[in-house]
Amino acid sequence: MHVRFTGLLTAITLIVPLMAADAPQLPDGPGKATVVKLCNSCHGAQIVLGKPHSEDGWSAIVADMAQRGMEGTEDEMYDVVQYLTKYIRAGQAQPKVNVNKATVKEIMTGLAIAGKDAEAIVHAREKAEFKSIDDLKKAEGVDPAKIEARKALISFQ
């Protein structure tokens, strides 16, 4: 099914800062450059790796990102959907985020949470290292529901 976007002239800020040498990289293939172009300002590759969706699922995500401010042509957004549908498949390992060592930006992109939430994690760990999900959920300024929803992405060592 080919999905086209009409009237969406604003751009994504939620899928991929891919340029850090130690960051997981998206697979090479047609459309990767467009994904990097449209998505690089806000998200690391880990936000999409290991999260396969159908073409309709990726279309909905890209449309949502466009409403949040992603700028790109309809053709570029279509290319992003096609790339993600083809190359982000089940079985790819999703990198975990060590909440005791990661930077604010690494926590934001790796867990797909807002900056204020990532900052709360970093601030709380300055008082005591996290040993479990329960420790992290109890940290001041941290939303326990967000942590629970992302617990598969979190490590402590």
Side-chain angles (χ1 to χ4, degrees):
M1 173 180 174
H2 294 300
V3 179
R4 299 304 243 178
F5 298 96
T6 57
L8 297 176
L9 299 176
T10 51
I12 276 184
T13 52
L14 236 148
I15 301 177
V16 197
L18 307 167
M19 299 307 163
D22 60 343
Q25 297 294 306
L26 291 174
D28 290 329
K32 178 180 177 180
T34 306
V35 171
V36 171
K37 175 185 172 188
L38 297 186
C39 310
N40 192 36
S41 65
C42 291
H43 297 282
Q46 57 269 56
I47 197 82
V48 295
L49 293 173
K51 293 185 178 186
H53 293 280
S54 66
E55 184 172 345
D56 288 341
W58 283 121
S59 293
I61 290 167
V62 170
D64 180 52
M65 294 303 104
Q67 289 179 345
R68 294 174 186 243
M70 178 178 78
E71 291 183 10
T73 67
E74 291 178 31
D75 286 340
E76 287 173 326
M77 291 186 200
Y78 175 78
D79 288 347
V80 168
V81 170
Q82 294 307 300
Y83 172 86
L84 294 172
T85 300
K86 182 174 182 178
Y87 293 102
I88 308 304
R89 298 181 300 273
Q92 290 177 316
Q94 177 137 7
K96 293 190 176 208
V97 176
N98 181 336
V99 293
N100 287 313
K101 296 185 182 189
T103 65
V104 169
K105 185 169 182 166
E106 289 167 340
I107 294 169
M108 284 174 54
T109 59
L111 301 182
I113 61 174
K116 68 178 181 63
D117 296 313
E119 289 170 1
I121 290 170
V122 170
H123 181 70
R125 78 173 183 219
E126 291 170 355
K127 296 176 184 173
E129 192 172 86
F130 301 113
K131 303 228 184 282
S132 69
I133 290 292
D134 289 332
D135 288 348
L136 186 55
K137 286 181 187 179
K138 293 175 189 172
E140 184 178 337
V142 174
D143 181 347
K146 287 181 184 176
I147 298 306
E148 181 64 29
R150 291 157 178 86
K151 68 183 177 183
L153 301 174
I154 297 170
S155 75
F156 302 96
Q157 301 213 7

